[in-house]
């Protein structure tokens, strides 16, 4: 019982430390481009599902519209994304990665794969599958969505992108 209370008390801190380390590693991988890990979230979301609207991108990342507008403005200024507006004041448009943005996304994808191998290196393959399954269930619960069916070794955001592409929003 005491051990359970201890675990419950420090679980948020543990998850925060894992997230901090992942963000730190991602920021390090893109600092040469003047970017950070928060920019990476948008780049990877567009890499997985190009042509999203601002609202769609905000919903996909579960980030408010104002932050999405700020980040996309920065990524446009850096030549990483562009939109398909035909008129400057158009409110409905889609966001795409430039070739430069795609090259950054490919590099980041490799960094993420390598980092995940490192993070999970102490676990057996079976433990990795169980951990990822548990994380998918937790994310589903936290996001108040039903857990996705088992798809071993496919990260949640990839499955979400696949569902969006298939129209299973």
């Amino acid at each position: 019982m005491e051990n359970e209370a201890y675990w419950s008390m420090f679980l948020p801190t543990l998850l925060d430390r894992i997230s901090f380390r992942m963000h730190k590693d991602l920021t390090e991988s893109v600092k040469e481009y003047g970017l950070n890990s928060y920019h990476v979230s948008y780049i990877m979301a567009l890499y997985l599902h190009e042509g999203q609207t601002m609202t769609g991108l905000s919903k996909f990342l579960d980030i408010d519209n104002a932050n999405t507008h700020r980040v996309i403005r920065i990524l446009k200024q850096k030549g990483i994304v562009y939109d398909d507006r035909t008129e400057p004041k158009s409110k409905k448009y889609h966001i795409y990665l430039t070739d430069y943005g795609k090259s950054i996304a490919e590099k980041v994808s490799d960094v993420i794969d390598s980092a995940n191998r490192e993070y999970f290196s102490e676990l057996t393959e079976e433990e990795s599958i169980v951990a990822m399954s548990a994380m998918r269930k937790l994310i589903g619960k936290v996001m108040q969505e039903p857990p996705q069916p088992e798809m071993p070794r496919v990260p949640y955001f990839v499955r979400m992108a696949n569902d969006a592409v298939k129209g299973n929003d």
Side-chain angles (χ1 to χ4, degrees):
M1 181 81 152
E2 182 180 318
N3 191 22
E4 205 171 299
Y6 183 83
W7 174 253
S8 296
M9 187 170 85
F10 287 106
L11 182 60
T13 302
L14 172 64
L15 294 174
D16 187 52
R17 295 308 306 157
I18 292 169
S19 178
F20 176 79
R21 169 72 191 274
M22 290 176 161
H23 280 283
K24 184 178 175 188
D25 290 347
L26 281 175
T27 295
E28 185 64 31
S29 75
V30 294
K31 75 178 183 181
E32 69 187 85
Y33 306 106
L35 302 171
N36 63 44
S37 64
Y38 296 101
H39 298 124
V40 168
S41 297
Y42 290 90
I43 293 168
M44 295 312 294
L46 290 167
Y47 185 64
L48 295 170
H49 183 61
E50 273 204 293
Q52 295 189 63
T53 63
M54 288 286 208
T55 302
L57 191 55
S58 293
K59 285 180 182 175
F60 181 75
L61 293 171
D62 196 29
I63 297 175
D64 69 86
N65 288 337
N67 277 332
T68 297
H69 281 274
R70 280 191 288 276
V71 171
I72 293 301
R73 185 181 64 235
I74 290 167
L75 295 177
K76 275 185 189 177
Q77 291 168 350
K78 292 182 175 290
I80 295 168
V81 300
Y82 69 95
D83 62 54
D84 64 359
R85 281 188 251 204
T86 55
E87 299 194 21
K89 297 212 183 240
S90 178
K91 299 226 184 239
K92 178 92 173 169
Y93 54 91
H94 299 88
I95 309 295
Y96 299 89
L97 290 173
T98 62
D99 288 340
Y100 178 56
K102 288 176 186 175
S103 71
I104 293 172
E106 288 167 4
K107 176 188 177 189
V108 168
S109 182
D110 291 342
V111 168
I112 291 170
D113 287 344
S114 175
N116 283 337
R117 279 192 301 279
E118 178 189 335
Y119 301 146
F120 285 89
S121 67
E122 296 297 316
L123 303 179
T124 65
E125 185 174 347
E126 183 180 328
E127 289 170 330
S128 294
I129 291 169
V130 169
M132 289 180 144
S133 175
M135 285 186 268
R136 280 194 293 274
K137 287 178 183 176
L138 288 171
I139 289 169
K141 181 71 173 174
V142 169
M143 301 292 289
Q144 297 178 344
E145 298 173 3
Q148 299 294 318
E150 285 298 314
M151 292 178 65
R153 300 219 175 260
V154 178
Y156 181 76
F157 65 89
V158 172
R159 286 186 295 104
M160 293 299 291
N162 288 341
D163 286 349
V165 169
K166 293 176 189 171
N168 297 337
D169 297 345

